[in-house]
Amino acid sequence: MSTTIAVIGGTGMNQWPGLVIEKRHDVDTPYGKPSAPLLEGKVYGVRAIFLARHGEGHKLPPHAINYRANAWALREAGVKSVVAIAAVGGIAPWFPPAGVAVPHDVIDYTYGREFTYSDGSEGSELKHVEMTEPYSERVRRELLHGALAAGIDIAESGVMGVTQGPRLETTAEIQRMKRDGCDMVGMTGMPEASLARELGLDYACLALSVNWGAGIMGNGDIHAEIHQSIEIGMGKIRAILSRALPALVAKDEEM
């Protein structure tokens, strides 16, 4: 594979205008198989790898995703930069449904997931990975520049709280997260971010708010809200990536 950039996502990923998938790579890793084959293709004039986080058909729940295999497979494919698309719930008042943000920090509320390569197994190396800034500032900057160039309103920062899923949170849980300083809540951001850091991948998240967190705003039909937000928001995501991906590939080739 001859590409340095990957997009991890799911909903709407295979329906981008101009996206041409050229190869499917069924790979294996020391940690098992990734969620889905690595799809190598071309979009917006650049070559990239696309990985369906929840598997083909969107069947894998957040806690059952093989995050270690996903990150390892991308690194072995020659990827340097990773853009992770995440559908999240809004907690901060400035992050309504269909809003887009580039989070700068994360709080991990998950449990029981395989969260490190330093697992004490034979051949593994003990690493105390540094997470003061969990997201790559270089990738974050290009995503923000891409939004500016596309004329898309975007939140330039935010704290992502990551819960176990697949159930949604209670009102009390969202209020606790709000007190903790979370601006949004998702289910897949960890250990995805920390594993990418362990492998030296430049990783950042492009978060799409698809609903309000429990008890934040109203009690309408949450599933209808999610569907509508995805319909609107994925257009914004694609517009941002149309500017950001070419810039990231150009920078990767300079490294």
Side-chain angles (χ1 to χ4, degrees):
M1 286 177 264
S2 56
T3 179
T4 62
I5 193 162
V7 178
I8 302 177
T11 305
M13 193 173 68
N14 295 327
Q15 301 168 355
W16 296 355
L19 171 63
V20 178
I21 299 299
E22 299 173 342
K23 298 179 182 177
R24 288 168 52 96
H25 300 277
D26 289 294
V27 300
D28 208 345
T29 79
Y31 305 95
K33 297 186 75 65
S35 295
L38 305 186
L39 302 181
E40 184 180 0
K42 198 168 186 179
V43 67
Y44 310 132
V46 299
R47 189 169 299 281
I49 288 175
F50 303 89
L51 175 59
R53 183 191 286 116
H54 293 276
E56 294 182 306
H58 204 83
K59 296 178 180 178
L60 289 174
H63 68 285
I65 292 169
N66 193 337
Y67 296 96
R68 294 199 297 181
N70 287 353
W72 191 274
L74 293 178
R75 197 274 302 270
E76 291 301 291
V79 167
K80 296 179 181 178
S81 301
V82 179
V83 177
I85 311 301
V88 303
I91 297 177
W94 48 258
F95 199 35
V100 184
V102 181
H104 74 285
D105 214 336
V106 63
I107 299 177
D108 188 1
Y109 298 96
T110 65
Y111 51 88
R113 300 184 182 189
E114 296 288 356
F115 64 92
T116 181
Y117 299 104
S118 298
D119 58 3
S121 61
E122 184 178 352
S124 68
E125 179 183 354
L126 177 58
K127 291 183 178 181
H128 298 289
V129 63
E130 207 277 321
M131 290 288 286
T132 302
E133 295 181 353
Y135 300 109
S136 165
E137 189 58 31
R138 180 179 72 88
V139 181
R140 289 185 71 254
R141 186 171 58 250
E142 294 302 339
L143 291 173
L144 293 171
H145 288 168
L148 180 64
I152 302 295
D153 288 334
I154 192 168
E156 298 183 5
S157 62
V159 177
M160 169 87 75
V162 186
T163 58
Q164 184 71 354
R167 68 166 178 86
L168 297 176
E169 301 73 34
T170 68
T171 298
E173 287 170 334
I174 291 296
Q175 288 303 312
R176 179 189 67 164
M177 295 177 74
K178 186 176 181 180
R179 291 191 297 271
D180 287 347
C182 295
D183 299 303
M184 62 195 77
V185 55
M187 299 178 184
T188 60
M190 290 291 281
E192 199 170 84
S194 58
L195 290 169
R197 177 61 54 84
E198 284 191 37
L199 294 181
L201 298 172
D202 279 357
Y203 172 101
C205 175
L206 191 54
L208 169 64
S209 175
V210 297
N211 64 282
W212 287 112
I216 294 294
M217 196 78 67
N219 294 298
D221 184 343
I222 190 171
H223 297 292
E225 183 179 50
I226 290 172
H227 178 76
Q228 182 180 28
S229 298
I230 289 174
E231 286 289 313
I232 298 170
M234 282 308 297
K236 297 179 181 180
I237 296 293
R238 289 191 288 266
I240 293 169
L241 292 180
S242 71
R243 276 72 172 183
L245 292 184
L248 282 168
V249 168
K251 294 290 177 60
D252 283 342
E253 291 175 349
E254 294 173 2
M255 296 172 62

